[in-house]
């Protein structure tokens, strides 16, 4: 048995938290080689982007994962928590390009090689920074296993997957419409586009019908794309317009005759029921164009300006300027009928916020339908389970309705596509190794595809690429599939679904057994934290002010699986106070370990009722915390430990042991108190350790213990030899009676330190004996002066307030306890105030003018106030009568 006998000073988390992290990391406690036969428990950390710094979402994510990994490590599992960072293609490239812009340069000025050197330098700086921030939270991840989405191991996996899918015909190159960012100059997938509501317009434009003195009126939000129109579409069952199907209309400005087509996609209730079809600049129009064999004409450059196909008058204009010019010209031609204001969703690049432009470009795609069946089946059969299970619906819906995935990006930072084009024969070579000659004709005139892969392509391989695949490593054999993925509901389709179908395809197994979903961390008003609102809270700043333990406990106790949580700094402060409470309780125990005998174990007969009760409650707490952690109810588990420490151990048990420690002449009784204090506190610190790792380690080291660290201590178990259910029930009766006395004293305004006589009446002979035996508990915990046990035949004492708990009546005689005249004056003054307030509210609620004009919720609130005051008035009247009787 060893323990640090240095005296505990005051609680100062800033001084001791990182000291213990360095101790853990230095001694290699986070790492376990895959050698033994223990059951494995593994997690892959959702890799934060190297572009930024830790935010509250990261803090929550890491806290939940760390709680699970520490819990399972203490349970004896062979654990691996694999950390890492993501190269974050567009986001990182944008940051470095912004740096270059400050120097008056672009990436094209310095070239690809020099640009990538700049990005790697950025990654080194900010990737290292975020790793240190993760350490500051106490995350016990295995840094020896850390990965980066572009390190050699992950890069090998990415290339193997790309080439394998290509060889299976599941990756192909094709010209299709995609989301295009004119600022980042790259294609985007649907999930990289943020749709935001904006004020816009709906323009009603006349398209002349060829050969007739008539026109079809279309409604559009994009008049600047008129020059790329290839048809006008109406619903084939629209009685107003179906007669035009098969006829032609003339497109303004370009004098192009295009057909009127019938298509069921058209919404008859939008606008006029007729829509312009621009296949090259709208994804829905593109699909319609494919169905009706319409040509496609790009009228914009890749930077979003108009090209020569838009006409000489508009070439070079921005989209916005062209829109204004086109509308003005339509008005002059008499073809603009009218304009309506419109509130509609507009897509923006999620990285730079530029309005995206649908462009028809040549890109690489993954065929999704052949890959989704196994991923859907894994959840349907329960091999992978969502927690809470309602999120499986989101997952299933997305997989059942997705399009082919555009995986190429016109960037320089990322995994470059392993495809080479032959300048001589025009063929494409896709290879696991870099090539110098065309595989089809042997020519050396080949050029590598300059594009890189979508960031989510490499992230989709994370559960197995991090463990060394495609090699058959010891880690894969031990830790795959992983046990649980902890992530937010906002990336179920971004990331979770992609990992599922990629892993099912290449590992022929699920990537993880559980997907533990948490919500967003919102501010105290319920708003999403964002730069634009300026309401973000830096978790590292919170750690420096209150300690990482307080932040972690706040995040977990405010959290239920799948739901958003509101973040209040007041709760962080309260949880720092909780840590301080534990500290002071431990300080008290340590100060009273003089002549402590670590070999002493009491007999059952040595234990007092309080000892038996606290040991039984510890068993119940161990059982409930373990069950809740196994069910991912981490917040419930944390609340249970909190209530046990604060309400049972500190407020009740410690108070009941003080007399035994200070005045007892019975050495065995004193040693028993020491044993129970240490045993219960040590086990409780072990239960609390996954939630508050730093303070628990520090205090555990100052208590008698075996082992090197609390994080390696065995998880507490229910100990049947310390289970005393009947004794605990008796103690609970005493506690309820003592709480009732405390409440009576508070209601009667009896000063805290003033001793008071109390009278007790037990409903049975057994309860009366219990109250008599443990009369001292009322002196210690209820500030009783004298305790009188009433007989069953005794009536109610005069001038006493009463409380009833199951089986016991409690009386508190008020005479001589309070200054009756002073209390009477105080209550009468309060009564006068409430009478005045009731009269005001009754008058207001009888006022016809107020009732007719005020909103219903305001009236309801006033009625609620009146009911509250009337309830207070009833209590005051009763109190006045009691005082007058005295």
């Amino acid at each position: 048995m060893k323990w640090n006998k240095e005296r505990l000073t005051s609680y100062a988390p800033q001084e001791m938290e990182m000291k213990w992290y360095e101790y853990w990391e230095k001694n290699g406690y986070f790492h376990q080689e895959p050698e033994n036969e223990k059951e494995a428990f593994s997690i892959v950390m959702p890799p934060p982007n190297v572009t930024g710094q830790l935010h509250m979402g990261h803090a929550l994510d890491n806290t939940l994962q760390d709680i699970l990994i520490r819990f399972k490590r203490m349970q004896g599992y062979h654990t691996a928590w694999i950390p890492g960072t993501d190269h974050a293609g567009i986001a990182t490239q944008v940051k470095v390009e912004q740096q270059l812009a400050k120097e008056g340069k672009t990436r094209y000025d310095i070239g690809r090689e020099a640009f990538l050197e700049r990005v790697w330098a950025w990654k080194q700086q900010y990737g290292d920074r975020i790793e240190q921030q993760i350490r500051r939270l106490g995350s016990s991840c295995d840094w020896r296993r850390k990965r980066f989405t572009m390190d050699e191991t992950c890069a090998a996996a990415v290339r193997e997957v790309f080439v394998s899918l290509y060889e299976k015909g599941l990756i192909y190159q094709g010209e299709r419409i995609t989301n295009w960012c004119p600022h980042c100059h790259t294609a985007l997938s649907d999930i990289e586009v943020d749709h935001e509501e904006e004020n816009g317009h709906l323009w009603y434009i006349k398209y002349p019908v060829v050969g007739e003195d008539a026109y079809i009126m279309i409604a559009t939000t994009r008049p600047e794309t008129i020059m790329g129109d290839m048809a006008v579409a109406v619903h084939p069952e629209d009685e107003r317009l179906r007669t035009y199907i098969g006829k032609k209309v003339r497109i303004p400005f370009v004098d192009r005759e295009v057909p009127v087509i019938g298509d069921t996609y058209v919404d008859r209730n939008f606008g006029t029921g007729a829509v312009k079809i621009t296949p090259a600049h709208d994804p829905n129009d593109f699909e319609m164009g494919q169905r009706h064999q319409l040509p496609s004409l790009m009228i914009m450059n890749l930077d979003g300006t108009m090209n020569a196909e838009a006409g000489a008058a508009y070439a070079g204009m921005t989209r916005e300027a062209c829109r204004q010019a086109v509308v003005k010209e339509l008005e002059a031609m008499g073809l603009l009928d009218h304009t309506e204001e419109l509130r509609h969703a507009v897509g923006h690049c999620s990285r730079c916020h530029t309005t995206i432009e649908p462009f028809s470009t040549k890109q690489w795609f993954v065929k999704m339908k052949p890959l989704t069946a196994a991923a859907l089946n894994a959840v349907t059969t329960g091999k992978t389970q969502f927690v809470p299970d309602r999120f499986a619906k989101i997952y299933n819906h997305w997989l059942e309705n997705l399009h082919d995935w555009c995986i190429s990006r016109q960037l320089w930072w990322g995994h470059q596509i392993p495809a080479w084009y032959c300048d001589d024969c025009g063929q494409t070579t896709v290879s696991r190794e870099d090539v110098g000659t065309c595989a089809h004709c042997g020519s050396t005139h080949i050029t590598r595809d300059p594009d890189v892969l979508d960031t989510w392509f490499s992230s989709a391989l994370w559960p197995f690429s991090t463990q060394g695949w495609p090699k058959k490593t010891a880690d894969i054999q031990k830790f795959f599939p992983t046990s649980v993925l902890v992530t937010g509901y906002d990336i179920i389709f971004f990331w979770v679904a992609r990992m599922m179908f990629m892993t099912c395809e290449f590992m022929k197994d699920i990537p993880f057994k559980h997907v533990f979903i948490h919500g967003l961390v919102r501010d105290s008003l319920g708003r999403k934290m964002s730069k634009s609102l300026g309401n973000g809270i830096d978790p590292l700043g919170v750690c420096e002010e209150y300690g990482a333990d307080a932040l972690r406990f706040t995040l977990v106790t405010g959290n239920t699986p799948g739901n958003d949580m509101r973040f209040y700094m007041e709760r962080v402060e309260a949880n720092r106070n909780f840590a301080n409470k534990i500290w002071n309780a431990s300080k008290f125990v340590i100060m009273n370990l003089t002549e402590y005998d670590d070999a002493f174990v009491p007999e059952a007969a040595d234990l007092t009722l309080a000892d038996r009760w606290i040991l039984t409650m510890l068993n119940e707490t161990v059982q409930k915390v373990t069950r809740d952690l196994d069910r991912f109810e981490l917040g419930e588990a944390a609340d249970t430990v909190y209530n046990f420490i604060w309400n049972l151990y500190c407020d009740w048990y410690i108070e009941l042991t003080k007399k035994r420690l200070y005045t007892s002449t019975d050495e065995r009784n004193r040693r028993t108190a020491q044993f129970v204090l240490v045993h219960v506190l040590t086990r409780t610190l072990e239960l609390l350790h996954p939630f508050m790792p730093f303070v628990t380690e520090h205090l555990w080291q100052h208590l008698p213990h075996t082992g090197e660290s609390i994080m390696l201590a065995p998880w507490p178990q229910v100990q049947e030899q310390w289970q005393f259910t009947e004794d605990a029930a008796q103690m609970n009766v005493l506690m309820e009676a003592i709480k009732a006395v405390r409440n009576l004293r508070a209601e009667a305004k009896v000063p805290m330190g003033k001793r008071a006589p109390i009278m007790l009446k037990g409903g049975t002979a057994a309860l009366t004996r219990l109250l008599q035996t443990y009369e001292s508990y009322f002196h210690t915990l209820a500030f009783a002066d004298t305790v009188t046990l009433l007989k069953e035949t005794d009536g109610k004492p005069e001038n006493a307030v009463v409380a009833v708990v199951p089986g016991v009546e409690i009386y508190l005689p008020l005479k001589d306890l309070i200054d009756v005249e002073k209390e009477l004056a105080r209550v009468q003054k309060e009564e006068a105030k409430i009478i005045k307030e009731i009269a005001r509210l009754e008058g207001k609620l009888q006022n016809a003018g107020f009732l007719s004009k005020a909103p219903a919720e305001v009236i309801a609130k006033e009625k609620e106030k009146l009911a509250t005051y009337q309830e207070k008035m009833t209590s005051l009247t009763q109190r006045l009568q009691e005082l007058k009787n005295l």
Side-chain angles (χ1 to χ4, degrees):
M1 187 72 68
K2 54 186 177 181
W3 43 306
N4 181 351
K5 297 186 180 181
E6 289 179 9
R7 182 172 171 271
L8 281 178
T9 55
S10 57
Y11 176 54
Q14 297 83 354
E15 295 174 12
M16 62 91 180
E17 288 189 341
M18 289 316 292
K19 176 190 85 171
W20 286 115
Y21 196 92
E22 289 167 9
Y23 170 76
W24 296 327
E25 191 171 359
K26 180 182 177 182
N27 285 282
Y29 296 153
F30 303 155
H31 179 79
Q32 290 176 292
E33 288 295 333
E35 296 171 354
N36 61 38
E37 297 303 314
K38 290 180 182 178
E39 187 177 348
F41 184 88
S42 56
I43 302 176
V44 287
M45 178 186 290
N49 292 349
V50 291
T51 55
Q53 64 180 39
L54 218 64
H55 55 64
M56 275 300 171
H58 292 128
L60 171 61
D61 214 55
N62 274 268
T63 296
L64 299 179
Q65 290 172 86
D66 194 44
I67 289 168
L68 292 173
I69 209 79
R70 286 180 184 273
F71 166 54
K72 290 298 182 181
R73 187 186 290 121
M74 293 175 75
Q75 279 195 317
Y77 284 79
H78 200 62
T79 59
W81 182 14
I82 304 169
T85 49
D86 194 298
H87 66 281
I90 294 177
T92 307
Q93 179 155 321
V94 165
K95 292 283 186 184
V96 178
E97 287 193 272
Q98 287 171 349
Q99 278 188 342
L100 284 172
K102 291 176 182 176
E103 302 169 18
K105 298 176 184 175
T106 69
R107 57 176 160 140
Y108 302 104
D109 293 329
I110 64 173
R112 186 168 191 144
E113 189 174 336
F115 179 77
L116 290 178
E117 286 177 6
R118 292 278 293 252
V119 186
W120 277 107
W122 170 280
K123 179 266 171 189
Q124 193 65 41
Q125 178 183 352
Y126 290 97
D128 289 351
R129 180 180 72 170
I130 206 160
E131 286 178 14
Q132 294 308 314
Q133 293 170 341
I134 290 170
R135 284 176 167 88
R136 184 66 187 89
L137 284 172
S139 302
S140 61
C141 44
D142 186 351
W143 293 108
R144 296 187 201 173
R145 287 189 167 96
K146 74 174 181 179
R147 290 293 182 210
F148 174 56
T149 48
M150 284 180 61
D151 65 22
E152 288 184 13
T153 300
C154 291
V158 167
R159 185 173 281 201
E160 177 60 33
V161 167
F162 184 94
V163 176
S164 294
L165 290 174
Y166 180 80
E167 289 171 347
K168 294 174 184 178
L170 296 177
I171 280 184
Y172 66 94
Q173 205 174 17
E175 189 156 326
R176 289 184 48 192
I177 200 156
T178 56
N179 303 299
W180 183 270
C181 176
H183 178 267
C184 298
H185 287 199
T186 183
L188 306 172
S189 67
D190 289 343
I191 55 179
E192 292 172 301
V193 177
D194 295 332
H195 292 277
E196 299 172 9
E197 289 288 319
E198 290 185 1
N199 292 323
H201 294 90
L202 193 59
W203 286 273
Y204 287 79
I205 303 166
K206 301 171 184 176
Y207 279 28
V209 178
V210 175
E212 296 183 21
D213 186 16
Y215 60 82
I216 293 180
M217 180 126 47
I218 62 97
T220 182
T221 60
R222 306 281 319 268
E224 69 274 17
T225 63
I226 283 175
M227 294 77 77
D229 287 357
M230 293 299 161
V232 166
V234 300
H235 195 285
E237 297 174 9
D238 189 335
E239 294 181 359
R240 301 166 300 169
L241 299 167
R242 65 183 181 186
T243 56
Y244 289 103
I245 296 173
K247 296 183 179 182
K248 291 190 174 183
V249 294
R250 183 171 289 105
I251 304 300
F253 312 125
V254 293
D255 200 28
R256 181 187 305 123
E257 294 182 4
V258 300
V260 179
I261 59 175
D263 198 290
T264 54
Y265 178 80
V266 177
D267 181 357
R268 285 174 279 185
N269 299 314
F270 177 79
T272 64
V275 293
K276 60 195 260 342
I277 304 302
T278 320
H281 292 279
D282 183 279
N284 298 316
D285 291 5
F286 179 84
E287 296 295 334
M288 218 180 297
Q290 293 285 296
R291 288 195 292 274
H292 296 273
Q293 293 83 48
L294 299 175
S296 182
L297 179 67
M298 285 271 289
I299 61 167
M300 290 185 199
N301 300 309
L302 295 180
D303 63 358
T305 59
M306 311 308 293
N307 65 22
E309 296 289 350
Y314 306 113
M317 283 187 178
T318 64
R319 293 172 290 176
E320 296 75 18
C322 182
R323 178 179 299 172
Q324 292 178 9
V326 164
V327 169
K328 188 176 180 180
E329 183 64 20
L330 286 169
E331 201 168 12
M333 296 169 68
L335 296 178
L336 179 64
D337 189 82
H338 67 284
T339 305
E340 292 178 357
E341 290 188 356
L342 178 72
R343 184 81 177 159
H344 64 146
V346 177
H348 296 82
C349 172
S350 61
R351 296 302 177 187
C352 71
H353 210 64
T354 301
T355 301
I356 63 103
E357 187 64 48
F359 275 166
S360 180
T361 54
K362 193 173 186 181
Q363 304 288 347
W364 289 91
F365 295 89
V366 175
K367 287 182 182 176
M368 294 310 305
K369 288 299 179 186
L371 295 172
T372 58
L376 285 164
N377 183 63
V379 172
T380 303
T381 58
K383 287 183 72 178
T384 294
Q385 297 177 351
F386 277 81
V387 180
D389 60 6
R390 68 179 185 271
F391 287 99
K393 293 179 183 177
I394 296 173
Y395 168 87
N396 288 336
H397 179 76
W398 190 74
L399 280 179
E400 288 165 357
N401 294 280
L402 80 177
H403 301 292
D404 286 357
W405 174 16
C406 175
I407 56 170
S408 47
R409 299 291 181 268
Q410 288 64 53
L411 305 171
W412 288 354
W413 173 243
H415 292 277
Q416 193 170 352
I417 290 172
W420 286 259
Y421 306 121
C422 180
D423 296 337
D424 292 332
C425 72
Q427 293 293 314
T428 301
T429 300
V430 171
S431 173
R432 290 173 176 80
E433 305 294 335
D434 287 357
V435 298
T437 58
C438 174
H440 303 278
C441 71
S443 170
T444 57
H445 300 144
I446 59 171
T447 307
R448 186 170 183 176
D449 191 315
D451 291 353
V452 299
L453 290 165
D454 176 11
T455 299
W456 296 103
F457 191 93
S458 51
S459 299
L461 318 183
W462 196 242
F464 55 94
S465 66
T466 51
Q467 299 189 56
W469 187 90
K471 295 178 182 176
K472 192 173 183 180
T473 63
D475 273 12
I476 285 177
Q477 291 174 308
K478 183 69 183 179
F479 297 116
F480 184 87
T482 63
S483 305
V484 59
L485 173 75
V486 180
T487 190
Y489 61 67
D490 53 334
I491 58 171
I492 289 174
F493 41 82
F494 270 95
W495 190 43
V496 179
R498 299 195 190 287
M499 285 189 286
M500 284 290 287
F501 65 67
M502 282 296 202
T503 307
C504 288
E505 174 67 20
F506 285 94
M507 303 300 289
K508 305 306 177 189
D509 202 348
I510 55 171
F512 20 73
K513 296 164 191 170
H514 290 93
V515 182
F516 177 25
I517 299 291
H518 60 75
L520 304 178
V521 182
R522 298 183 178 274
D523 70 8
S524 58
L525 300 176
R527 301 173 301 176
K528 188 174 180 179
M529 292 185 181
S530 67
K531 288 182 182 178
S532 59
L533 288 174
N535 63 342
I537 298 172
D538 178 13
L540 299 176
V542 177
C543 289
E544 291 311 308
E545 186 171 358
Y546 296 102
D549 283 332
L551 173 61
R552 288 166 61 111
F553 208 72
T554 301
L555 290 169
V556 71
T557 51
N559 188 281
T560 52
N563 295 326
D564 292 349
M565 63 169 288
R566 293 191 181 193
F567 188 87
Y568 299 92
M569 289 305 299
E570 295 85 353
R571 289 189 59 246
V572 182
E573 189 172 357
N575 287 322
R576 187 196 184 282
N577 294 341
F578 172 54
N580 195 55
K581 179 93 169 177
I582 305 163
W583 186 277
N584 289 333
S586 302
K587 195 172 181 178
F588 166 81
V589 172
I590 292 162
M591 286 169 58
N592 285 281
L593 292 185
T594 308
E595 298 177 357
Y596 175 77
D597 181 1
D598 57 34
F600 174 80
V601 178
E603 301 291 335
D606 296 323
L607 301 171
T608 66
L609 181 69
D611 295 335
R612 291 167 181 246
W613 163 75
I614 197 68
L615 288 166
T616 303
M617 298 312 293
L618 174 63
N619 274 342
E620 289 185 14
T621 301
V622 167
Q623 190 174 44
K624 187 173 188 314
V625 170
T626 306
R627 184 177 66 244
D628 283 338
L629 286 174
D630 280 332
R631 290 160 47 185
F632 301 102
E633 292 288 353
L634 276 55
E636 287 286 326
D639 284 336
T640 299
V641 182
Y642 176 95
N643 288 326
F644 178 82
I645 293 172
W646 193 298
N647 298 325
L648 304 187
Y649 186 76
C650 293
D651 287 358
W652 289 89
Y653 185 71
I654 283 180
E655 292 304 314
L656 286 169
T657 58
K658 285 180 178 177
K659 190 174 181 181
R660 295 163 70 189
L661 294 169
Y662 297 160
T663 63
S664 177
T665 57
D666 183 341
E667 188 61 25
R668 193 168 183 85
N669 183 33
R670 189 168 182 277
R671 287 190 187 281
T672 299
Q674 287 179 327
F675 171 85
V676 177
L677 280 168
V678 170
H679 173 79
V680 175
L681 179 57
T682 304
R683 299 293 85 75
T684 305
L685 290 174
E686 288 161 359
L687 288 176
L688 184 62
H689 175 70
F691 307 95
M692 302 179 96
F694 296 114
V695 69
T696 52
E697 178 75 84
H698 193 83
L699 297 174
W700 189 86
Q701 295 283 358
H702 280 75
L703 288 164
H705 64 271
T706 56
E708 299 175 5
S709 168
I710 190 173
M711 69 179 287
L712 303 180
W715 183 253
Q717 303 291 315
V718 170
Q719 295 183 281
E720 295 298 335
Q721 74 272 28
W722 302 130
Q723 183 69 27
F724 306 99
T725 306
E726 290 183 12
D727 297 271
Q730 290 184 337
M731 182 68 186
N732 285 329
V733 171
L734 294 171
M735 289 171 65
E736 287 303 312
I738 290 166
K739 283 189 268 188
V741 175
R742 290 173 174 175
N743 290 337
L744 289 176
R745 290 174 59 99
E747 289 169 8
K749 302 292 189 291
V750 177
M752 277 297 295
K754 190 165 187 175
R755 294 275 168 181
I758 60 174
M759 299 176 181
L760 305 171
K761 183 189 287 189
T764 65
L767 280 173
T768 302
R769 284 195 301 274
L770 178 70
L771 296 169
Q772 187 175 29
T773 304
Y774 296 101
E775 176 187 319
S776 63
Y777 286 15
F778 290 89
H779 293 292
T780 303
L781 296 170
F783 296 100
D785 179 15
T786 59
V787 178
T788 305
L789 291 173
L790 301 175
K791 296 176 184 176
E792 191 178 342
T793 55
D794 291 340
K796 176 183 175 182
E798 291 185 3
N799 301 326
V801 287
V802 62
V804 178
V805 298
V808 182
E809 292 178 15
I810 302 108
Y811 298 96
L812 179 68
L814 292 178
K815 196 170 184 181
D816 301 328
L817 278 182
I818 60 173
D819 185 330
V820 177
E821 293 300 323
K822 187 176 178 182
E823 178 65 5
L824 193 61
R826 185 192 70 78
V827 175
Q828 286 172 333
K829 186 177 179 182
E830 190 174 350
E831 181 190 43
K833 272 187 193 176
I834 290 180
I835 288 171
K836 186 177 177 182
E837 194 60 28
I838 287 174
R840 184 187 71 80
L841 287 165
E842 284 179 338
K844 194 172 186 180
L845 289 167
Q846 289 167 6
N847 184 315
F850 170 74
L851 294 174
S852 63
K853 293 177 183 176
E857 60 267 24
V858 173
I859 295 171
K861 192 172 264 189
E862 294 300 291
K863 285 181 179 179
E864 191 179 327
K865 282 185 194 172
L866 177 60
T868 302
Y869 280 119
Q870 287 170 335
E871 191 177 330
K872 283 184 181 177
M873 191 65 199
T874 302
S875 299
L876 283 175
T877 302
Q878 184 180 343
R879 177 73 172 146
L880 279 170
Q881 189 58 52
E882 289 170 354
L883 290 167
K884 286 172 183 175
N885 291 339
L886 293 175

